[in-house]
Amino acid sequence: MSGKHLILLGIVIVAVSTIRAQEIPPQLDVDIKKSFQIALKHSSLIQAAEEKIISSEYQTATAFTRLLPDLNLSISYMRQDYYHPYLSRLYYLRPEEFEAVFSISVPLYQGGRRKKEWENARKKETLALWNLKKEKLKLYGEVARGYYRVLK
């Protein structure tokens, strides 16, 4: 190849690479609402906050059941055949025994400890809900900033 051909080949390569660099990127089919949904779905902070809410709901339920009295019911029935001590090979039935016991027990003095535990559990549940809302608002702000930065 001669020098003219090499120069012409160089110009063609530079022109083609410049044209490719100026190509418009393909349009993404993602609007801001989809961006929010994707971010909410994949955010580990949001998932952790939701797990914290579930945990605090269980703690609240447990604390509430400790406020309630304990109920116990037991039933027993017994019947035995006995050998008659004086008459050979004759059995007699001893009277049947039946017993039913129902009891309710409530601790008389806990110093309001159980009620305070329940109130604290409710406060923790409310705090977990507020933390989830706070994390969602932070995420919305970050997604909106990133989305509009891409549009510029």
Side-chain angles (χ1 to χ4, degrees):
M1 281 190 175
S2 66
K4 290 181 182 180
H5 291 289
L6 288 175
I7 292 173
L8 187 59
L9 182 63
I11 291 172
V12 169
I13 289 174
V14 170
V16 169
S17 64
T18 305
I19 291 171
R20 282 193 181 169
Q22 292 177 356
E23 286 181 3
I24 298 173
Q27 292 287 335
L28 296 176
D29 191 27
V30 177
D31 59 349
I32 196 161
K33 288 182 182 179
K34 281 187 182 178
S35 300
F36 287 145
Q37 290 172 355
I38 291 169
L40 285 174
K41 183 178 177 183
H42 295 291
S43 173
S44 60
L45 292 174
I46 299 297
Q47 292 171 356
E50 288 172 346
E51 291 296 323
K52 183 77 174 171
I53 288 173
I54 292 170
S55 171
S56 63
E57 287 173 351
Y58 283 126
Q59 289 175 355
T60 302
T62 302
F64 180 73
T65 57
R66 291 191 62 188
L67 283 174
L68 302 175
D70 295 330
L71 303 175
N72 296 315
L73 174 67
S74 64
I75 298 174
S76 66
Y77 171 77
M78 184 172 33
R79 185 186 105 177
Q80 294 180 346
D81 294 333
Y82 284 96
Y83 179 71
H84 193 279
Y86 302 112
L87 303 173
S88 63
R89 298 188 184 173
L90 290 177
Y91 291 92
Y92 71 95
L93 294 176
R94 189 172 176 185
E96 298 175 350
E97 296 178 11
F98 179 79
E99 179 183 33
V101 177
F102 178 74
S103 65
I104 299 175
S105 61
V106 179
L108 293 178
Y109 181 71
Q110 288 289 324
R113 187 178 330 142
R114 290 185 178 183
K115 186 175 181 185
K116 287 286 184 190
E117 287 174 0
W118 177 59
E119 289 171 354
N120 288 338
R122 286 179 42 208
K123 288 177 185 176
K124 287 179 183 177
E125 184 178 352
T126 304
L127 181 64
L129 287 169
W130 280 105
N131 282 337
L132 176 64
K133 288 180 183 181
K134 182 182 79 168
E135 291 299 328
K136 281 184 178 180
L137 286 175
K138 274 190 200 175
L139 188 67
Y140 286 150
E142 291 173 6
V143 168
R145 278 192 297 276
Y147 186 80
Y148 291 118
R149 206 175 295 139
V150 168
L151 291 179
K152 283 185 180 179

